[in-house]
Every structure is written in C-alpha cells, then in structure tokens.
C-alpha cells in the first residue's frame, strides 16, 4: 500500500500564492490551487470553502507576517520618539518581493466585491491608526503615517519603484514630517 501524502494548510496557501504569481488574481481558483498543490479539489475545499475563503486565508497569513515584522521593528525602535511610527518606517526599508506584490494585487482585485476582505483591511488600518494615536505627538505621527502609507502602497502595488538611495531619502522625509510637524 502506498504512502498517503499529507498536505498542510500552508502548502495550500503556498500553492495559492504560486497561482497568483503565474496567473494573477483572475486566475486564482480552487481548481488552479488544487492542481498547483498536486491535490484534489476536495482537499482544498476542506480548509477553504471558496475562492473568497482562500483569499481571506492569504490575507490572514500575510497580515500575520507583516504584524510580526512590525512588532520586531517597533521593539527595535523603542528608543525613538514614536516607536510605533519609527518601527513602521524601518520596516518599510525592506524590498517588497514579487510574491508580496502579486498577493497584494489579488487582494486589491477582490476586495471591492468582498465585504469580509474589506473588513480585514479596515481592521488592519484601524489598528495602525490607533498605534499612531497612542504615542507622543499623535497628529504628527498620523501625518507621517499617511505619507508612509502612500509610499509603501505605491511600491507594493508596483506603481513605482524607487532606487535604494531615493527610498532612503523618502523615508528620512517621513521621519522629518514627524519631527518637524508643528505642535498646536
């Protein structure tokens, strides 16, 4: 009797990311993920009942990874004027890879029609906004965070790629927004 291959949830999500990389958001389907993972459609459906559920799981995984990165960056920024902001700025220094960009595009393509996906993104944004208001100079932190978000999403969605030198200058400018924003 042959050995039965056990597939983990992460294997399915890895396959979903590969499908998005190859075919884009429109190519993401239960069938395509099953084929990419080398499993039956029912194996994928067991954990992810629909394409929407698969996208939610991808978002959950990406958000968990991002939150872990942010937590580490915030801890490393403990001696800065606003660790939550400066940690996020530090985190933005890394290069976004093609998989992250493809998953972001898939999420973006699907979020307009999926209320649960919209709520996931709203919750993430609200968490960031609360973090900005929790430290010193919350209005300055908010202005800098909004600039940082614009920079980050421009890169994430591939609208523009800056050189490492330009990226450093921009992020230093975001820090300057915080430090120079007028107190009221």
């Amino acid at each position: 009797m042959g050995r039965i291959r056990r597939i983990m949830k992460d294997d399915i999500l890895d396959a979903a990311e590969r499908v998005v990389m190859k075919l884009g958001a429109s190519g993401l389907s239960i069938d395509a993920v099953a084929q990419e993972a080398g499993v039956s459609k029912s194996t994928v459906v067991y954990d992810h009942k629909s394409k929407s559920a698969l996208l939610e799981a991808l978002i959950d995984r990406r958000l968990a990874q991002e939150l872990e990165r942010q937590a580490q960056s915030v801890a490393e920024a403990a001696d800065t004027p606003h660790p939550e902001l400066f940690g996020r700025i530090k985190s933005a220094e890394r290069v976004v890879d093609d998989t992250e960009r493809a998953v972001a595009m898939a999420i973006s393509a699907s979020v307009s029609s999926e209320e649960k996906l919209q709520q996931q993104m709203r919750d993430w944004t609200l968490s960031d906004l609360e973090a900005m208001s929790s430290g010193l100079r919350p209005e300055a932190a908010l202005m800098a965070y909004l600039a940082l978000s614009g920079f980050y999403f421009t890169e994430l969605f591939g609208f523009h790629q800056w050189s490492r030198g330009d990226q450093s200058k921009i992020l230093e400018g975001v820090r300057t927004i915080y430090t120079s924003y007028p107190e009221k």
Side-chain angles (χ1 to χ4, degrees):
M1 180 174 251
R3 204 175 80 168
I4 297 174
R5 179 174 177 246
R6 292 187 47 118
I7 188 150
M8 306 299 283
K9 287 182 182 182
D10 276 344
D11 295 330
I12 298 292
L13 294 178
D14 290 344
E17 287 182 352
R18 289 191 302 274
V19 167
V20 169
M21 285 285 298
K22 292 177 189 175
L23 305 174
S26 62
L28 183 65
S29 68
I30 299 291
D31 288 328
V33 171
Q35 183 176 357
E36 180 66 30
V39 299
S40 69
K41 183 178 175 180
S42 62
T43 300
V44 177
V45 171
Y46 182 79
D47 288 321
H48 310 286
K49 308 298 183 222
S50 65
K51 178 180 174 178
S52 293
L54 194 56
L55 277 167
E56 289 168 27
L58 280 175
I59 291 171
D60 286 343
R61 181 162 86 162
R62 283 293 168 176
L63 285 178
Q65 291 168 345
E66 186 61 28
L67 291 173
E68 185 177 315
R69 244 190 316 270
Q70 275 182 5
Q72 181 178 353
S73 294
V74 168
E76 292 170 3
D79 62 341
T80 65
H82 195 293
E84 290 286 350
L85 172 64
F86 282 71
R88 282 168 175 76
I89 294 169
K90 181 69 177 164
S91 185
E93 290 176 351
R94 67 182 193 75
V95 176
V96 174
D97 68 30
D98 291 337
T99 301
E100 289 174 292
R101 189 169 286 115
V103 171
M105 294 301 284
I107 292 166
S108 178
S110 302
V111 78
S112 65
S113 63
E114 299 289 338
E115 177 58 35
K116 192 164 184 183
L117 297 178
Q118 289 174 13
Q119 191 59 52
Q120 283 178 290
M121 301 313 290
R122 280 189 212 106
D123 291 344
W124 182 29
T125 301
L126 183 59
S127 174
D128 274 1
L129 293 173
E130 288 171 352
M132 293 307 105
S133 67
S134 69
L136 299 174
R137 306 184 68 225
E139 191 173 336
L142 175 62
M143 293 302 124
Y145 169 79
L146 292 173
L148 177 63
S149 295
F151 165 78
Y152 179 72
F153 288 116
T154 299
E155 285 229 332
L156 181 63
F157 289 116
F159 299 142
H160 187 77
Q161 296 300 135
W162 283 276
S163 69
R164 294 296 277 167
D166 286 343
Q167 183 187 54
S168 293
K169 288 177 191 174
I170 291 166
L171 293 175
E172 187 55 39
V174 173
R175 289 180 189 93
T176 301
I177 290 171
Y178 177 79
T179 58
S180 66
Y181 193 81
E183 290 289 321
K184 291 187 180 184

